[in-house]
Amino acid sequence: MATQMAVNSGASLWGPLKELWEAVEGAIWRRQPESVHLLDLQLKKHKPSFLTLFKNPMKSAEQREKVRKASTEGIAIQGQQGVRLLPEQLISEAFILSDLFDLGELAALELLLAGEHQQPHFPGLTRGLVAVLLYWDGKRCVANSLRSLIQSRHGKTFTLDLSPELVNLTTRFTDELMAQGLTKQILNLISDVSVTREFERLQKEKGLGNEKHRKEVSDLIKECRQSLAECLFAWTCQSPLSKEDTLTLIGHLEMVTAEADGSLDSVNLALVMSFYFLALPLLTEKQYVAAVHSRLVEGQGWKLPGLQAVVQLAWALSLRALSQLPQGAALVEFTEADEALADQALLGGVFLFLTEGILGSDDFSQEEFYTRRLHSLITDFLALMPVKVKQLRNRADEDARLIHMALQMGSEPPSSLRKDLDHLMILIGEFYSKDPFELELALEFWCPSESLQHTSFTGSFLGVPLQRPPHKQVVLSKFVRQMGDLLPATLYIPYLRMLKGLASGPRCSHYCFSLLKTNGAPHGENRQAGISGSVVSWEHFFHSLMLYHENLRRDVPSADSMQYRHPPIRGITQRELDGLTAFLQLLTTIITWSENARLALCEHPQWTPAVVMLGLLQCSVQPVLKAQILHALAAFGKSPEIAASLWQSLEYTQILQTVKAPGQRQAAGIEVELNEIESICEEYPLTRAFCHLISTLVESALPVNLGAGLRAPGFQPYLDFLRDSVFLAFPTRAYRQPAEKWEVAEAVLEVFHKLLREYEPQPADFLQEMVELQGEQVPANKPPGHSLMFHLLNDSPTFSLCLNLLEEGARHLDTYAPFPGKKQLESAVLHCLCLLELALQKEVTFMDLLRESQTSLLVSPVEQLLQGVSAQSRRADHITNIARYLYHSSSNPDAAFQSAKILRRIARYPNIQARLVGDFTHDQAASEKLMAGFVECLDSEEHFFLDSDSDPEKRVGRIRHEIKIHILNLLITPLELKGPNLGLYLLGYEVKKPVSSTNLQDPGVLGCPRSCLHAILSLLQRGSEWRSGPVLTKQAPQLAELCYQVIYQLCVCPDTSGPTMRYLRTSQDFLFSHLQHLPFILLENEIAALSQMSWLMKTAAIELRVTSLNRQRSHTQRLLNLLLDDQPHTLHADGETGMEEESRSVSGFLHFGMVSKVRRRLLSVLDSIDFSQEAPELLQLDFFERAQIEQVITNCEHVNEQGHTVCNVKLLHRVLVAEINALQGMAAIGQRPLLMEEVNSILQQVVERNRVRCSLSAKRHALQSWRSLVETILTACPSELIPADQRQLIIRDLLLDLHDKVLSEDAAGELMPVVAGAVFTLTAHLSQSVLSEQQGAGPEGGSGSGFASIANSALHLILRKLLDFTLCTGGGFQRLRAHIYGALLYYLQIAQKPEKPETLQTGTSMWERLTAPEDCFSKLQRENLAIIESYGTALMEVVCRDACDGHEIGRMLALAVLDRVLSIDRQCQWLVYLCNSGYLRVLVESLRQDDAALQTLLRPQPPLLKPLYIYESKMALLTRVAKTAQGAMELLRCGLVGQLVECQVFHMLPQNDALRVFGRRDPSGFIPSPLERYRQILLPTLRLMQVILTSTTTHHQQGAAQVLQWLIVHSDVIQSILHGQDMSMGALQELSLLTAIISKTALPGTETAQERKWRFPCNRCYLS
């Protein structure tokens, strides 16, 4: 019994249900591999939850008693040993929760324990409030799972394209549920569960928290109800309902009520649509039809008569459709009743309810199937019931006559008039005017006529080329045309509204334009009489407009009159006003969609709509009509060519007065209308429309010379009006409709946003230019963007109002309550945020140009202005107000996105970091909320829709993804700055104490809040326990890359490294769980995958270094096993392996055939780096000059956020387009399309170049990280963890793989330097390892096959690879070859037998040495030489050339390689080549060139020592050459001694005794004293001469004579040395070498008289 009474800490009402939803989502929506089997298991486990939908576990006395005793006896918790005592407070809360939701006491306790565990995810909430959320979240998971299962069924309406196995599983499972009465359960739950009732219960028990908690609970309950309703909708879309279920659904609909505005809520809307789809595939079962028919015909009245009418109409249309099928003959008694049923529906006001109740619902336009079904309902009515439509028209005509007669007689029209046709037309207009899915269903109402067949629009209709349209389409088209014939006045406005809806769409607008065009009379025919073919035609419309204009303009008084205060509204009645407004709305719709219609109307010579409408704006007409005219002009302005002329017309007509006439006392134009008419009426349609017009015109064209000749040209007067009269005044005006306040703000801020977005600061903007105006010089206006930037870079009223708007917006959003104008407020706030972000983006360039221009303008950076004190709160909270929008990222992602961008730009500045941290931590509650906002953004789950689909859900997913990108970049940037900084605060580190004292804990432990670091780790850890690896690396590669970078930055920073690595190691086991999934392979995003691995490997290198230093042997060993093992083995539960297992796995390479090998993980990572890189093709240009384009591309290059040097494509596009626009002449205009095409090809080429550069940079970064990890393993880790023999095998594998990749034909040269560096390091470690092993093994250590652990064949292979690498690098890779030469030296050192000092015990005779067998060193040396010689003169040429010229380090190493090869070359092949090719002579002659550099070394001040090192390397090589007689003679022939004789450096022996002995030493001790430097020059020369004298035994006289010559020339220096009193080691070496040389030159018969004369003083000096 105890086990049954154990508590599930994950809450059985939440945790398992969450797992169920994840399984359903993974199988159906994410289509994860192996998910079908997991789903099957979950469905079997949770079938009772579906059968007893939303039913809670029963209460029981036994459970209550068990929970009551939990405070004294404790209670068992699953997964934990023993029992846990619970506090009394928790037990009392469990009983309250049990009573609140009527669920079992144990289940309530589980919810509370889960709430306690989840509390860090909900800052500011108690565990009880979190438990309420979890309870409803569990219900939501069940409802959503059920909906998804039903949507995945076999069906007739749609398919999710799932596997047959999965579809069969879900179909079978849901069929079983439906058979158990699922429909009734769902409808009962929808009736029983309501937000109001649940909130009353929760409020009573204090189960509701702050505003956000209330919103979240409300949303969860609403989502549960919505998902249940959509379950029925999805079922009826796919499968029929039974008779009983259908009647149950109808019974539920009978009791439905409407919202306050008369519309249906989303739940009832889904149920109504369920009935629509149910009636669509009408069953032929007579009992079913009879039952439904009788219920609808004879049933009682519904609570919503309009809804009853809608259902009756749907059923009547189904019966009519059934009557036309063969199966309908058996149901004739029902199908004949369709007319009567339709009449009942019309009496019930079906079309009015469809408009208000169905279309009025906010959720209707969000579901494509709803839209298609209502389209079918409307078109079926028109097509299947033409007689009924005719009756509607006849009745409308009759009603029109009655109304006309009543007006004639002056009486009221009859109250019994019906308006069914009006409502039908309005329904059609409203329905088709909104097309969020771009279906353009209204095309079915337009039938291409024969006269239009020549146009491009009608070449095909709905994808069907030139064929007879379907009958239904013909009927619908006929309906549109016939309704317009002899149109009664009462139907005029509804018909125009219908046309407006049917004209919505690119093709529909063209058809409507053609209809109105053909309806008109021929041009000029009876024009004067005002007669036209139809009242619904362009001819009639524009002729009427012209008449209105002609009549009204006669009444326009002078500008000084008071007509704006008392406008004479004569000439236009209210009915005419409504008609004109409807026509203008139709015109606006058509020209908005159709550019052809726009141009055709605007260019029409008789109509001139723009002129007439601008004229009407100057007349005394109502502001509403003026607003509609401005909207129509804005639609015309969408075409740039029309926009340019509209600007001039606006300026000419002075709609906004920009030029004041001389002597004019009173202002005129729209400014007066705003201040004196709209402000009094408290309605602002004209102002909003003017802002919309300016916004459209600014986007299309903004002429620089606007107003030239009458005033200073430019946009400034318009900007002044928008800023001063509209924007700055909008908060203080009165508004009849509260929402209009935010509409005005949104409209004007949209203009500002567009102006600033298009502005790029130019040097000319900061020069005060003058223009001539009526003989005077006046200052020219600046670009509008410049003016806006100036206002935003000062504490101006505009800037302050933007900040106030942000504060007010955040305050409104914090209420989580709907209010009028909420959408417009959010849009206005978004524009404010965009303005600040653009100002931050452009301020550096702006201020630099301002500084250079030396203009007397004062500006301040935005980030400093944002630190100012708010006028409302009296606190410096502007930045925190911006950050508050992150807290609302779920409901307002756009604002959160801009907020993140702004904060990211601000976080770059080091001088404000401490202030930022202070602002964020000033108030504890606000600080927690701000932190929660950042964490919530990172925690938000989106399905990573990164394609360019226009689906709103996918767009929101992309925005949330971008928010995470910006937040992570915001965290990375401050981490590189000194603490305290914003990044450290957000990541949970101490900002008031030393950062290194931080003690990171899991969320909730020791009161630790959930920080951004926890959110980042949660993102990365998701899926890391699966075989497929972390989900984030595949779904959002760029995001994963930044997450790994944050972790690396924390680990590499000295202050944060300790706490971070300790937390990752102990609490998360982060590195091991991620390294085991290396390498990350992403074919579609290779760059991001490489960057992910780079940061992870660099972090691993730090971890290995730190754990090695701290002697945490088990951690180091575990990671080494993971990276280096080549044996397949499973990890233990604790993840650690013993030393014996490690030795077995690493050394198992030697035991062939025992187990199959696997690739070492380090090698697999190397395999994943593709060394090849396709280079972009060369530009093929016809117009532009290649050299100039390349220069422009270079000028546009910059370093991006990832550190890659790339070309700014937007800037390049702007430069090239400006170049094209600057071209003059007709030829340039004619070639503009070709030029733009070439610009596009250039841009595509540059994009490809950028991609290649980023790819190469990522590969180089990955290689460098791999190299760092390898070097750390070999250098920093304890040597006993990787024994020498295993170390050699690992290095061998790494070396051979590296060479194989870099030596491939298509390997990119940019990667070679990194590889060369790695090869150098690996070879050095190989040499050290082999030598240490040989020393440990003793002289007999060599085996038959080579050295103990690594065979000679492997060493030979390495040598060949090194030599191949040397040869494959061309002349431009000399620095790279320096690494290879270093590696060669280390390699050749392996075969160099270690020298041991001889003692009496080890002394051997010469004979023993000659007859001793060849040891392993000699053998390897001989084989090495054979390999080197096999490369012939090609290798010799490269090494000799590098030894003679190039970079200093490369020359030194090349000289050292030559020295080493000559030492083992017994056949002297290299020496012969060196002599014959002239390189030896070049080296000898270069000594004279070195003389000047060497002389500078003897100055007292410490110089560069590079010439000294090169000189020593050169002398060492020459000494090696001189050790053979052949080499010595060749040196003499090359004039070596003669070159040395001419060197003046030997005369520069420091004379000052103090300077000679002590000298001026470098404080670091690295640079030797001048005397020591002199000896470093002299001693190699003396040794070289000694070797020459020793080697030239057969030609001793020649050698001795030349050496004596050197001695004679430098006799003063030699005598000074011989006379010296210094007894240091250096002085004794000088004496030793000098005496040896002098003695060897003294053989009899070799001296001349002069030489003998010189030598005697030397002997005396020596003897003295």
Side-chain angles (χ1 to χ4, degrees), residues 435-742:
D435 189 14
F437 302 102
E438 299 179 4
L439 304 174
E440 215 170 347
L441 297 173
L443 273 175
E444 204 166 354
F445 283 83
W446 300 106
C447 188
S449 60
E450 293 300 323
S451 61
L452 295 176
Q453 288 297 334
H454 64 280
T455 63
S456 60
F457 288 89
T458 55
S460 68
F461 185 83
L462 295 176
V464 182
L466 291 178
Q467 61 182 19
R468 184 173 180 80
H471 172 71
K472 186 176 185 180
Q473 184 181 341
V474 174
V475 173
L476 295 176
S477 176
K478 190 176 177 183
F479 165 77
V480 173
R481 294 178 183 279
Q482 287 181 345
M483 287 298 119
D485 293 342
L486 303 175
L487 192 67
T490 52
L491 289 181
Y492 184 75
I493 293 175
Y495 183 69
L496 289 185
R497 291 179 65 179
M498 180 179 78
L499 285 184
K500 172 178 170 286
L502 295 177
S504 299
R507 288 184 284 176
C508 292
S509 58
H510 170 75
Y511 289 129
C512 190
F513 169 76
S514 302
L515 172 69
L516 297 178
K517 185 179 177 182
T518 53
N519 280 352
H523 300 316
E525 181 182 339
N526 294 329
R527 174 73 191 275
Q528 285 73 19
I531 299 171
S532 62
S534 169
V535 293
V536 186
S537 66
W538 295 127
E539 185 73 26
H540 177 80
F541 290 149
F542 289 119
H543 184 63
S544 302
L545 271 186
M546 290 164 65
L547 290 176
Y548 280 120
H549 179 227
E550 288 173 5
N551 291 328
L552 290 170
R553 72 177 178 178
R554 298 176 190 151
D555 300 329
V556 176
S558 65
D560 287 345
S561 72
M562 309 296 287
Q563 86 277 16
Y564 287 105
R565 296 182 182 175
H566 306 286
I569 312 293
R570 68 186 188 121
I572 298 183
T573 65
Q574 184 60 43
R575 291 186 64 193
E576 289 174 330
L577 179 67
D578 293 340
L580 281 172
T581 304
F583 155 63
L584 287 168
Q585 289 175 344
L586 172 61
L587 169 67
T588 305
T589 301
I590 292 175
I591 60 178
T592 297
W593 284 107
S594 174
E595 185 172 10
N596 286 355
R598 206 180 303 150
L599 295 171
L601 289 175
C602 200
E603 294 169 0
H604 198 282
Q606 280 84 25
W607 298 339
T608 57
V611 175
V612 175
M613 287 191 280
L614 283 168
L616 277 172
L617 287 174
Q618 297 174 289
C619 301
S620 300
V621 296
Q622 288 89 333
V624 176
L625 182 59
K626 287 189 176 183
Q628 200 55 57
I629 291 172
L630 287 174
H631 282 301
L633 288 173
F636 275 117
K638 287 171 69 74
S639 295
E641 49 269 79
I642 300 177
S645 64
L646 268 179
W647 274 119
Q648 303 302 332
S649 301
L650 270 178
E651 187 70 22
Y652 175 75
T653 53
Q654 291 287 287
I655 301 299
L656 173 69
Q657 188 175 20
T658 60
V659 180
K660 198 166 185 178
Q664 182 181 341
R665 299 188 306 275
Q666 178 67 36
I670 192 173
E671 189 171 359
V672 177
E673 300 233 11
L674 169 61
N675 293 328
E676 302 191 11
I677 296 178
E678 292 191 313
S679 296
I680 294 172
C681 297
E682 298 182 0
E683 292 181 339
Y684 304 87
L686 184 57
T687 302
R688 289 187 287 112
F690 183 75
C691 291
H692 174 58
L693 171 63
I694 298 298
S695 175
T696 306
L697 293 179
V698 159
E699 198 168 2
S700 298
L702 185 57
V704 182
N705 59 347
L706 184 63
L710 299 173
R711 59 177 178 86
F715 185 76
Q716 195 62 39
Y718 296 88
L719 183 61
D720 291 342
F721 167 72
L722 293 174
R723 185 185 63 241
D724 301 334
S725 300
V726 181
F727 181 58
L728 294 179
F730 97 87
T732 57
R733 297 192 191 278
Y735 297 90
R736 182 172 297 176
Q737 300 293 333
E740 194 171 19
K741 174 182 180 181
W742 305 118

Side-chain angles (χ1 to χ4, degrees), residues 327-349:
Q327 300 93 322
L331 303 169
V332 65
E333 57 184 296
F334 305 111
T335 56
E336 286 182 348
D338 55 358
E339 288 278 347
L341 206 55
D343 287 335
Q344 286 187 27
L346 291 173
L347 284 171

Side-chain angles (χ1 to χ4, degrees), residues 1559-1605:
R1560 184 181 297 175
R1561 288 194 169 272
D1562 174 48
S1564 67
F1566 177 74
I1567 298 179
S1569 67
L1571 181 58
E1572 290 171 345
R1573 296 200 292 271
Y1574 179 81
R1575 284 177 179 155
Q1576 284 180 275
I1577 296 170
L1578 178 62
L1579 292 178
T1581 305
L1582 297 178
R1583 291 192 188 97
L1584 174 59
M1585 292 183 178
Q1586 183 185 19
V1587 172
I1588 289 175
L1589 291 173
T1590 305
S1591 300
T1592 55
T1593 52
T1594 56
H1595 299 84
H1596 181 71
Q1597 183 177 357
Q1598 181 182 352
Q1602 293 189 27
V1603 171
L1604 273 173
Q1605 185 68 27

Side-chain angles (χ1 to χ4, degrees), residues 1189-1231:
I1189 287 296
E1190 292 292 347
Q1191 184 59 46
V1192 171
I1193 292 173
T1194 305
N1195 295 340
C1196 293
E1197 286 179 353
H1198 71 291
V1199 179
N1200 67 4
E1201 295 166 352
Q1202 289 77 30
H1204 308 148
T1205 301
V1206 294
C1207 178
N1208 186 335
V1209 180
K1210 290 184 178 178
L1211 177 59
L1212 177 63
H1213 177 259
R1214 203 158 48 238
V1215 170
L1216 295 178
V1217 171
E1219 184 69 22
I1220 292 176
N1221 292 339
L1223 295 176
Q1224 301 293 331
M1226 292 304 296
I1229 295 173
Q1231 291 182 335

Side-chain angles (χ1 to χ4, degrees), residues 10 14-43 45-46 50 118 121 137-138 140-146 148-149 166 939 941 943 1018 1022-1023 1025-1026 1031 1035:
W14 178 69
L17 301 179
K18 196 82 174 171
E19 293 176 6
L20 167 68
W21 169 236
E22 287 174 358
V24 172
E25 188 182 33
I28 295 174
W29 301 115
R30 298 188 179 179
R31 307 185 186 189
Q32 295 169 346
E34 304 177 5
S35 56
V36 178
H37 174 66
L38 179 62
L39 176 62
D40 191 17
L41 295 176
Q42 287 286 345
L43 292 181
K45 176 182 175 183
H46 291 284
F50 290 111
Q118 293 294 322
H121 292 270
D137 190 46
R140 179 187 69 90
C141 289
V142 174
N144 286 353
S145 300
L146 180 60
S148 297
L149 291 171
L166 177 58
D939 277 338
E941 290 188 16
H943 299 308
S1018 297
R1022 201 176 299 156
E1025 70 279 3
W1026 303 336
V1031 174
Q1035 288 187 346

Side-chain angles (χ1 to χ4, degrees), residues 140-365:
R140 179 187 69 90
C141 289
V142 174
N144 286 353
S145 300
L146 180 60
R147 181 188 60 193
S148 297
L149 291 171
I150 294 175
Q151 286 174 338
S152 65
R153 288 170 51 84
H154 280 301
K156 58 183 183 300
T157 305
F158 56 80
T159 176
L160 300 184
D161 198 20
L162 301 169
S163 66
E165 179 188 7
L166 177 58
V167 173
N168 291 333
L169 170 66
T170 56
T171 303
R172 186 172 61 250
F173 182 79
T174 49
D175 281 340
E176 294 173 5
L177 296 181
M178 190 57 79
Q180 298 290 327
L182 181 65
T183 303
K184 192 172 183 180
Q185 277 187 324
I186 289 174
L187 293 173
N188 287 340
L189 282 172
I190 290 174
S191 300
D192 296 341
V193 176
S194 80
V195 177
T196 307
R197 279 197 293 269
E198 296 298 328
F199 265 47
E200 287 173 357
R201 289 162 54 191
L202 289 167
Q203 190 73 48
K204 188 177 178 183
E205 299 295 344
K206 298 181 180 179
L208 292 173
N210 56 25
E211 293 85 356
K212 186 173 185 181
H213 181 260
R214 292 167 178 267
K215 175 78 163 49
E216 288 174 339
V217 173
S218 169
D219 288 346
L220 285 171
I221 297 172
K222 288 177 182 176
E223 188 175 351
C224 288
R225 299 182 76 245
Q226 185 66 31
S227 295
L228 290 173
E230 288 177 1
C231 288
L232 273 186
F233 173 70
W235 184 281
T236 54
C237 283
Q238 297 293 71
S239 310
L241 279 179
S242 66
K243 179 180 72 175
E244 291 75 15
D245 288 343
T246 304
L247 295 177
T248 305
L249 175 60
I250 294 173
H252 180 87
L253 293 177
E254 290 173 353
M255 309 304 296
V256 165
T257 56
E259 299 287 289
D261 60 355
S263 65
L264 295 177
D265 65 5
S266 58
V267 174
N268 290 320
L269 179 65
L271 296 179
V272 172
M273 288 296 161
S274 302
F275 183 83
Y276 276 12
F277 274 91
L278 179 71
L280 188 65
L282 196 61
L283 301 178
T284 53
E285 294 181 8
K286 193 168 184 178
Q287 293 179 349
Y288 179 93
V289 177
V292 174
H293 187 75
S294 62
R295 182 69 175 262
L296 293 178
V297 174
E298 301 165 6
Q300 59 196 14
W302 292 19
K303 284 193 174 182
L304 270 183
L307 178 58
Q308 183 178 16
V310 167
V311 172
Q312 287 173 336
L313 180 63
W315 185 253
L317 291 174
S318 300
L319 293 176
R320 174 58 62 93
L322 184 62
S323 68
Q324 297 179 0
L325 298 175
Q327 300 93 322
L331 303 169
V332 65
E333 57 184 296
F334 305 111
T335 56
E336 286 182 348
D338 55 358
E339 288 278 347
L341 206 55
D343 287 335
Q344 286 187 27
L346 291 173
L347 284 171
V350 59
F351 300 126
L352 182 63
F353 186 81
L354 280 172
T355 306
E356 296 177 351
I358 305 294
L359 286 184
S361 175
D362 293 335
D363 296 271
F364 178 83
S365 59

